[in-house]
Amino acid sequence: MSRGEPRERWCRLKGNLLFLMKNKSSEASEVVILERCWVVEFKSKTDVSIILKFQSGEPDLYIEAASKPDCEAWAVALGEANSEGLRNKIQQLRRLIMEIKEERASEEARQFLPSSQVDSLGEPQFTSIQRIANEPKLEFSLACKGLVAATRDRKLNTFIQVSVVHPAEHILTRYSSTEIVEGTRDPLFLTGVTFPPEYPIYEETKIKLTVYDVKDKSQDTVLTSVLPDHKEPRADVGRSFLGCATFRVGDLVKSKEQQLTLTLRFLSRTSDGGKTVGTIEVNLVKMGEFEDGEMDHITTDAQDQKFLCFLPLKSCSCGFLSATCAHNTENLERMTDRRAKEECALVRECTAPEGLSGKDNLPSLNAVLKNPICKLYRFPTSDNKWMRIREQMAETTLSFHVPKELINLHIKEDMRRNQELKDLGELAPHWDNMRKSVIAHCDQMLSMYQDTLAELGKHTGSSFKSSCSKGEKTLEFIPINLHLQRMHVHSPRLKDALYDVITVGAPAAHFQGFKNGGLRKLLSKFEAERRNTGYQCIYYSPENTAKAKEVLSNINHLQPLISSHADLLLNSASQHSPDSLKNSLKMLSEKTELFVHAFKDQLVRSALLALYTARPGCVLKKPAVPRSSAEESDDLKHQNHPSQIKRQDSIPHHSEYDEEEWDRVWANVGKSLNCVIAMVDRLLEKDNSSKTKEGESDPSAADCKVLHAGGDWYEQLYPLVITLKDCMGEVVTRAKQSMAFVLLQELACGLPQCLMLTLRRDIVFSQALAGLVCGFIIKLHTSLHDQGFLQQLHTVGLLVQYEGLLSTYSEEAGMLEDMAVGISDLQKVMFKVIEAKSEDFLPIITGRREHYVIEVQLPAKMFELLPQEIKEGKLLRMYPVLFNVGINEQQTLAERFGDTTLQENINQENLELLKEYYNLFTEKMPPDCLPHFQEQNDLKGLLENLHQNIQAKRRKNVEIMWLAATICRKLNGVRFTCCKSAKDRTSMSVTLEQCSILRDEHQLHKDFFIRALDCMRSRQTQGALNESDDPETGCLTDNKPTSRHFYPVALLLVSSHLLVVWLILSLALLLAKYQ
């Protein structure tokens, strides 16, 4: 059990409820609700224990089974007992039923179809709809006229439910719905119907349109969502059936006017044909064509019509699985909820590129995007015209691809580090024991990385991680709800525009929790503790530790290059090719100079001394103990003086150690290279007999032994090249050992906290990097014809602005700390664009911690559009900035009773980074590269206004977000919007920004701003979704309290006195429970 000694209990599992009974026949003494929890099963063969952990922070539930098989069976049963597991079972059963129905329907269809419509395999053939690649197969808008109400005085509140009858199935499937229009009998619906490219719709497909009159909105939202597809709702559930109409897709597509006027009929048992209750107009929509003659209809009735949309869009991420080409209709209905995909927000705008072929874009985009879902809207403009808006939601394969690539790099890097520690050689007992302890801990972490990578390799299904899974250990490297949403705006008088929106949950280590804060606090505390390690190990600053990693990386990178260029030099000499010899010598000289320069650092010299004193049998003139405060202060003075060489704290001095030996060792590499250069010059000079001999010999060849007798070039160069390799090998051996010794000190000073912090930082960085790579690829694709942006990209770099909506209260403060460090670490990421050599367009990640290069692959036709600098492989810098403003009720508590210093510090620090980018931008870029369709506000004035708002420290100052977003868009930047799970707060922010763009840039009619906003946020327009989905977790809330014994936090907003009452009652309940 959760506390004390284990007690014997009988357990009974029913649904998501676990009943605990004192004996087999007694009544349940306790009930555990298996929601927002996960099962931890011990892997040992003898352990029969299971632990249930709860996200709410409640005590763990410890359970022991009678045997190992029983333990495994209970672990599986408990893991599938929550709402997500039950929903998956239901979906599997539904898929099985659909497969059986499809088989029966196809057999029946083959019997009745003409022989011309059946292929050689006996499968029925249907007429497909010809559409542009990657565009929706079918889109249409709806409007009703002359609807008849049940009573004369009643004003109708109507919406249309769209259902599909597939020709091979003959089964009615509910697909989507429009918004509700109130108070009119001639409703014109702003929400259209769209079918994505993969949806199996044909000319023979029938579409049923059912019109309802909503009486009780609250009942309708809940009860109609649980009806079977073939059942109509009862009249007493909040809405009444007005009428229905059916049409074939082929009739709409082939109609001359691309419009159908259908008669709505109320079917009853007493009348054969049904009663006519009005008409419904179906208009085929094609982006690029405009509707005429309808604005009078909407402008004359606009004042009488009220558009009702339900609660702001909420997510059902628990059951939100990938819709595989829309064959699984239930999954498709879930995906059509534009925020049920737990939207994600990077708002970027760009005009549609002219002359860019969609087919050229498709291969590389399809490699990173999948399962697109479309929604269609039409909104009036201020000049009484229609504009059409198509929203396309898509998952990205990068959610799993980038973390798997990173983990693979971490494994290789850690394996190299462990081997370097083993190669340190013989050490004194103290240091050797330290090394063994470090290697043991590192092996455990390495095993954990390998297990995680293996589990991710087994993952199938959805290509994104829902918020319900954010506490799962196997998915902790995966970003939460990383999606792309594209808004395509087609205006009558303006150029088409694309606004790409990406949202992602705040990068944070949710599985590890936030009891002790996030990375920002943990790293600061860890660094302070390392300074007080005493005599057990040597303290190296974070800068020197990073320098040691850089030196090791340079060694591993340059040594094989120098060896290969040396072999090429010998190969050119054997072929007696002067030109090839010159080129090989040039490359060898450049790489060797970089190699020698990498070791001109005091850190290598001091680390060699420290390693020498750590050898067994070493006698020190001064013992390796902490020095006095006077000596430390004296060293500090020397460190502050620019003319003095900085020396590590606590590094001992050895009387017999020759510090100049290292200088001689790495200087021999340069001398050996000079010998090679002199010999090549001499060989080339003798080969070119037509040129006069130079008057003076090369002074660098003074120490070289040159063969005066003529002979083969290879024989004369070979001994010099071997000498160069030997000198380089000696340098590599010493430098690797010294830098590995520095890393040993870093790890030993903080075991095991150091490795756990590294793991946490890797997790947060993995989530942040996946979003960044997605944003960069989409931005690059949409801006290939924008020469100003491409010039800015390789000259200045790309601005990446994150809009955070996290509070500074409780766990979200820890999330914000993690997020701040993760986004800051993105500064160490560089991008490189290369031409794809195969059909695999996924990005390639190389490098090591603190220095990664992302290689983005483009098809040949797209690659040719890039500037020469980018095509030559120039590295592209990223400038990430984060501005956070908490906006929920928890932020109210933080502002009244807590602390907002964290948010203020983050905003101030990132304002300086934004100013730095702006100054760099104004220095290197011409002013005409800014987007021309935006108002040219003074960027300097916007920055000053942002500075003033940050300094003002007002409560929930959302002006900071608007100013930062405006500056980012005007600087051609990439925008992200993040909250805890990229759902409610994120979707509210994104939809508001989208409607603001439609109003400011595309002349959205001012009277329709709120209506457009409500349509985009509506649940009803997205199809039948269960209203019991929890807005924060995406899990079912039926019979699920938010906590077992705590009162709702919302009550605290009523009065500060309730806070005291709440704390007292909660404490009393806790004490009573555990006494």
Side-chain angles (χ1 to χ4, degrees):
M1 303 304 292
S2 57
R3 287 219 175 218
E5 294 295 329
R7 293 170 290 172
E8 184 179 12
R9 291 289 184 269
W10 289 85
C11 299
R12 178 173 297 172
L13 181 63
K14 186 174 183 180
N16 63 343
L17 300 178
L18 179 64
F19 296 93
L20 305 179
M21 300 171 291
K22 294 184 178 180
N23 53 64
K24 192 173 183 179
S25 60
S26 65
E27 296 183 355
S29 58
E30 284 188 70
V31 179
V32 180
I33 302 174
L34 301 176
E35 296 293 342
R36 301 180 69 183
C37 64
W38 64 94
V39 179
V40 178
E41 180 186 0
F42 293 92
K43 300 297 182 181
S44 64
K45 297 182 179 180
T46 58
D47 205 320
V48 293
S49 302
I50 299 174
I51 295 180
L52 283 176
K53 291 183 175 291
F54 297 88
Q55 287 187 2
S56 60
E58 298 176 26
D60 298 341
L61 186 63
Y62 179 81
I63 304 175
E64 284 189 2
S67 62
K68 188 61 178 178
D70 289 348
C71 177
E72 295 175 351
W74 271 102
V76 174
L78 293 173
E80 297 178 352
N82 55 23
S83 56
E84 182 179 7
L86 296 175
R87 186 178 299 173
N88 291 337
K89 289 182 179 179
I90 294 173
Q91 289 175 350
Q92 292 175 1
L93 293 174
R94 286 179 175 172
R95 282 196 294 268
L96 182 60
I97 294 173
M98 290 297 295
E99 291 175 0
I100 297 174
K101 289 181 178 179
E102 287 176 2
E103 293 177 359
R104 293 179 179 176
S106 60
E107 293 177 0
E108 295 175 358
R110 283 195 294 270
Q111 297 176 4
F112 295 100
L113 285 174
S115 58
S116 60
Q117 292 184 338
V118 180
D119 62 6
S120 59
L121 298 177
E123 295 294 334
Q125 296 294 296
F126 303 111
T127 307
S128 60
I129 302 174
Q130 300 297 326
R131 300 291 284 180
I132 301 174
N134 216 39
E135 290 287 316
K137 281 189 175 180
L138 179 68
E139 294 178 310
F140 56 85
S141 58
L142 298 170
C144 294
K145 291 185 178 180
L147 297 179
V148 178
T151 59
R152 180 176 300 178
D153 298 334
R154 173 167 173 76
K155 290 185 178 181
L156 297 176
N157 306 321
T158 55
F159 76 94
I160 300 177
Q161 181 174 285
V162 181
S163 302
V164 178
V165 182
H166 295 283
E169 299 174 3
H170 307 291
I171 299 172
L172 186 68
T173 304
R174 187 175 299 139
Y175 183 74
S176 67
S177 301
T178 66
E179 79 279 9
I180 295 177
V181 181
E182 286 188 317
T184 178
R185 300 189 179 188
D186 301 321
L188 190 147
F189 300 97
L190 301 183
T191 305
V193 181
T194 180
F195 293 88
E198 298 85 0
Y199 195 87
I201 189 169
Y202 310 96
E203 291 187 6
E204 293 81 7
T205 303
K206 291 183 179 181
I207 295 180
K208 181 181 179 182
L209 306 175
T210 308
V211 182
Y212 292 100
D213 175 24
V214 177
K215 297 178 180 178
D216 189 336
K217 278 82 67 177
S218 61
Q219 291 185 13
D220 181 76
T221 22
V222 177
L223 298 179
T224 61
S225 60
V226 296
L227 289 174
D229 291 333
H230 61 281
K231 294 288 185 179
E232 298 295 344
R234 304 190 313 271
D236 59 351
V237 299
R239 69 181 184 181
S240 62
F241 171 74
L242 287 182
C244 63
T246 305
F247 68 93
R248 290 177 70 254
V249 172
D251 296 338
L252 176 62
V253 175
K254 295 178 180 179
S255 62
K256 293 183 179 180
E257 299 179 355
Q258 296 186 339
Q259 175 181 330
L260 296 178
T261 301
L262 308 174
T263 300
L264 285 172
R265 297 185 181 277
F266 179 82
L267 302 178
S268 63
R269 297 179 180 177
T270 57
S271 58
D272 296 334
K275 176 183 176 182
T276 301
V277 293
T279 60
I280 182 169
E281 293 182 355
V282 183
N283 291 278
L284 186 66
V285 173
K286 293 182 180 179
M287 297 295 281
E289 299 180 4
F290 300 100
E291 299 178 46
D292 298 321
E294 292 190 9
M295 277 309 301
D296 293 337
H297 173 66
I298 196 161
T299 51
T300 55
D301 296 342
Q303 301 302 323
D304 297 330
Q305 294 188 21
K306 296 180 181 179
F307 290 72
L308 172 70
C309 296
F310 293 110
L311 297 174
L313 216 49
K314 299 178 182 179
S315 300
C316 55
S317 63
C318 231
F320 184 74
L321 304 175
S322 102
T324 55
C325 301
H327 289 290
N328 188 335
T329 309
E330 175 136 357
N331 284 345
L332 178 66
E333 289 178 358
R334 293 187 181 279
M335 292 187 72
T336 52
D337 184 347
R338 83 187 282 280
R339 309 293 170 220
K341 265 207 119 169
E342 311 185 0
E343 223 189 355
C344 28
L346 123 63
V347 172
R348 290 180 273 103
E349 58 234 305
C350 60
T351 55
E354 298 177 359
L356 180 61
S357 171
K359 294 182 179 180
D360 296 337
N361 247 339
L362 286 181
S364 53
L365 274 182
N366 288 341
V368 298
L369 301 177
K370 63 183 298 186
N371 296 331
I373 298 299
C374 299
K375 286 300 299 180
L376 181 69
Y377 305 97
R378 56 175 176 176
F379 298 139
T381 62
S382 57
D383 55 354
N384 294 336
K385 297 291 183 181
W386 285 108
M387 66 174 168
R388 294 195 180 106
I389 294 91
R390 179 194 295 156
E391 289 184 299
Q392 182 176 352
M393 178 79 73
E395 304 171 15
T396 171
T397 57
L398 300 176
S399 293
F400 282 82
H401 173 74
V402 171
K404 287 193 289 188
E405 290 288 307
L406 269 182
I407 295 174
N408 192 33
L409 289 178
H410 293 335
I411 292 174
K412 294 179 180 178
E413 181 181 351
D414 291 349
M415 291 178 67
R416 285 196 304 267
R417 179 195 59 198
N418 291 357
Q419 187 60 43
E420 288 162 357
L421 292 177
K422 295 176 183 177
D423 293 341
L424 275 176
E426 190 177 2
L427 298 176
H430 167 72
W431 301 106
D432 191 50
N433 292 334
M434 181 185 295
R435 174 173 58 177
K436 291 178 181 178
S437 175
V438 168
I439 292 177
H441 282 84
C442 290
D443 286 340
Q444 292 179 3
M445 297 301 296
L446 183 60
S447 177
M448 190 279 299
Y449 280 103
Q450 292 171 338
D451 292 343
T452 301
L453 183 60
E455 290 297 325
L456 292 179
K458 300 176 184 176
H459 178 82
T460 57
S462 174
S463 57
F464 75 99
K465 184 177 79 172
S466 65
S467 63
C468 279
S469 303
K470 62 175 172 281
E472 293 186 14
K473 179 174 177 55
T474 57
L475 299 179
E476 57 186 346
F477 285 85
I478 310 301
I480 302 172
N481 299 323
L482 176 60
H483 293 86
L484 166 73
Q485 177 181 314
R486 169 163 290 176
M487 184 173 70
H488 180 191
V489 182
H490 183 73
S491 301
R493 298 180 181 177
L494 298 175
K495 183 182 295 186
D496 281 15
L498 297 177
Y499 300 88
D500 291 332
V501 179
I502 298 179
T503 54
V504 62
H510 293 276
F511 176 79
Q512 296 189 18
F514 309 95
K515 182 178 181 180
N516 298 317
L519 275 173
R520 192 179 173 101
K521 180 186 297 183
L522 293 174
L523 289 173
S524 177
K525 180 180 179 181
F526 173 72
E527 186 59 30
E529 292 176 350
R530 278 189 61 205
R531 294 178 180 273
N532 301 319
T533 54
Y535 65 91
Q536 296 182 356
C537 58
I538 302 172
Y539 171 75
Y540 288 92
S541 66
E543 294 77 14
N544 282 330
T545 302
K547 180 65 177 177
K549 296 177 181 178
E550 181 181 354
V551 171
L552 287 173
S553 176
N554 290 336
I555 292 174
N556 295 326
H557 174 68
L558 292 175
Q559 184 183 14
L561 287 179
I562 294 174
S563 298
S564 63
H565 288 307
D567 294 338
L568 288 175
L569 181 70
L570 292 176
N571 186 44
S572 301
S574 63
Q575 296 177 0
H576 216 276
S577 174
D579 293 337
S580 178
L581 193 66
K582 290 180 182 179
N583 294 333
S584 300
L585 179 62
K586 180 181 178 182
M587 297 301 298
L588 178 62
S589 301
E590 291 177 356
K591 299 302 179 183
T592 306
E593 288 176 4
L594 291 175
F595 180 83
V596 173
H597 181 73
F599 303 112
K600 290 183 178 180
D601 194 280
Q602 176 64 20
L603 175 64
V604 180
R605 186 194 307 272
S606 60
L608 281 171
L609 171 59
L611 177 60
Y612 184 84
T613 59
R615 299 298 184 187
C618 177
V619 180
L620 300 180
K621 185 177 181 179
K622 295 182 180 180
V625 295
R627 293 175 290 173
S628 64
S629 60
E631 291 174 334
E632 290 180 353
S633 62
D634 184 60
D635 279 357
L636 183 61
K637 294 178 182 179
H638 288 299
Q639 289 179 3
N640 294 333
H641 197 283
S643 62
Q644 297 294 332
I645 298 176
K646 296 182 179 180
R647 186 175 297 277
Q648 298 300 314
D649 295 341
S650 303
I651 294 180
H653 299 270
H654 192 261
S655 58
E656 299 179 358
Y657 180 73
D658 186 3
E659 296 188 7
E660 295 182 358
E661 181 182 0
W662 168 246
D663 295 334
R664 292 193 295 268
V665 170
W666 69 261
N668 286 338
V669 177
K671 292 181 179 180
S672 300
L673 176 64
N674 289 337
C675 290
V676 174
I677 294 174
M679 176 57 72
V680 171
D681 290 343
R682 185 175 182 83
L683 293 175
L684 293 175
E685 181 181 358
K686 293 178 66 176
D687 185 68
N688 190 1
S689 58
S690 61
K691 293 183 179 180
T692 59
K693 189 176 181 181
E694 294 180 0
E696 297 180 359
S697 62
D698 191 346
S700 63
D703 297 331
C704 300
K705 296 180 180 179
V706 182
L707 296 177
H708 298 284
D712 186 71
W713 287 7
Y714 180 87
E715 293 178 355
Q716 299 184 55
L717 279 176
Y718 180 77
L720 300 179
V721 171
I722 293 300
T723 302
L724 174 63
K725 288 185 176 182
D726 292 341
C727 294
M728 184 177 63
E730 186 177 0
V731 170
V732 167
T733 301
R734 297 196 181 198
K736 270 191 172 182
Q737 289 182 346
S738 64
M739 295 300 96
F741 190 73
V742 174
L743 299 184
L744 175 63
Q745 308 309 309
E746 178 202 24
L747 296 170
C749 288
L751 283 179
Q753 292 87 350
C754 178
L755 294 176
M756 294 305 299
L757 282 178
T758 301
L759 171 63
R760 188 183 188 104
R761 200 165 188 172
D762 288 344
I763 291 171
V764 175
F765 178 77
S766 173
Q767 298 178 24
L769 182 63
L772 176 64
V773 175
C774 179
F776 178 86
I777 291 177
I778 300 301
K779 179 68 174 178
L780 183 63
H781 279 75
T782 56
S783 305
L784 275 175
H785 287 263
D786 187 347
Q787 295 301 320
F789 167 77
L790 294 177
Q791 180 185 357
Q792 174 186 353
L793 185 61
H794 70 80
T795 304
V796 184
L798 182 64
L799 177 65
V800 185
Q801 187 249 327
Y802 288 80
E803 177 183 294
L805 303 173
L806 295 171
S807 69
T808 56
Y809 181 82
S810 187
E811 286 190 348
E812 289 198 9
M815 297 178 199
L816 181 57
E817 290 182 352
D818 277 359
M819 182 180 178
V821 174
I823 292 175
S824 177
D825 286 345
L826 294 178
Q827 298 178 30
K828 304 163 186 175
V829 177
M830 308 286 278
F831 279 82
K832 181 180 179 181
V833 184
I834 61 175
E835 182 178 354
K837 302 301 182 182
S838 65
E839 296 300 321
D840 184 7
F841 298 102
L842 289 174
I844 302 171
I845 305 178
T846 59
R848 57 177 176 82
R849 290 183 180 92
E850 302 178 356
H851 181 72
Y852 289 102
V853 176
I854 315 297
E855 297 182 354
V856 177
Q857 303 185 82
L858 290 182
K861 292 183 179 179
M862 299 176 66
F863 187 76
E864 290 301 320
L865 300 176
L866 298 174
Q868 190 63 32
E869 293 85 351
I870 298 181
K871 288 195 289 187
E872 291 176 354
K874 183 175 182 179
L875 296 180
L876 311 175
R877 289 197 60 186
M878 300 293 109
Y879 292 86
V881 293
L882 166 65
F883 294 94
N884 186 85
V885 177
I887 60 174
N888 63 352
E889 70 279 357
Q890 288 189 340
Q891 184 63 20
T892 303
L893 293 175
E895 291 173 345
R896 292 184 178 180
F897 311 111
D899 185 15
T900 60
T901 306
L902 173 63
Q903 175 176 286
E904 296 165 2
N905 292 339
I906 289 175
N907 290 342
Q908 184 62 44
E909 293 168 6
N910 286 272
L911 174 63
E912 299 303 321
L913 295 176
L914 182 59
K915 289 180 178 179
E916 179 184 341
Y917 180 84
Y918 168 73
N919 293 332
L920 190 63
F921 180 88
T922 53
E923 291 175 5
K924 297 186 176 182
M925 293 296 297
D928 57 354
C929 69
L930 296 175
H932 296 288
F933 67 92
Q934 296 178 344
E935 296 181 5
Q936 297 299 316
N937 290 337
D938 183 12
L939 280 171
K940 189 174 182 180
L942 290 173
L943 281 169
E944 183 60 30
N945 195 1
L946 177 62
H947 175 76
Q948 293 175 0
N949 276 274
I950 291 176
Q951 294 295 326
K953 300 180 181 180
R954 288 186 293 155
R955 293 181 177 178
K956 296 185 179 181
N957 188 2
V958 295
E959 189 70 15
I960 294 176
M961 297 189 299
W962 290 109
L963 288 170
T966 303
I967 294 171
C968 177
R969 289 195 298 268
K970 291 182 179 298
L971 288 173
N972 293 322
V974 175
R975 290 203 60 249
F976 286 82
T977 299
C978 310
C979 64
K980 179 180 180 180
S981 301
K983 295 189 297 184
D984 292 350
R985 282 169 278 180
T986 297
S987 62
M988 299 292 281
S989 175
V990 171
T991 49
L992 179 59
E993 185 165 8
Q994 287 177 334
C995 288
S996 299
I997 291 173
L998 295 177
R999 177 193 61 196
D1000 299 337
E1001 309 297 342
H1002 299 279
Q1003 303 176 1
L1004 173 66
H1005 198 289
K1006 62 180 181 179
D1007 294 336
F1008 281 82
F1009 180 84
I1010 299 299
R1011 296 176 181 177
L1013 186 62
D1014 288 342
C1015 277
M1016 287 186 168
R1017 292 177 175 177
S1018 171
R1019 293 179 60 85
Q1020 180 73 4
T1021 62
Q1022 315 303 324
L1025 293 171
N1026 199 330
E1027 188 69 14
S1028 61
D1029 294 337
D1030 182 66
E1032 270 303 317
T1033 65
C1035 301
L1036 294 177
T1037 57
D1038 296 339
N1039 302 321
K1040 184 187 70 173
T1042 56
S1043 180
R1044 295 182 186 175
H1045 50 258
F1046 288 116
Y1047 296 95
V1049 179
L1051 292 176
L1052 303 180
L1053 302 179
V1054 179
S1055 171
S1056 60
H1057 297 289
L1058 288 178
L1059 176 62
V1060 179
V1061 177
W1062 177 67
L1063 291 174
I1064 294 174
L1065 290 176
S1066 300
L1067 182 60
L1069 286 171
L1070 285 173
L1071 292 175
K1073 179 177 181 180
Y1074 296 120
Q1075 277 183 351

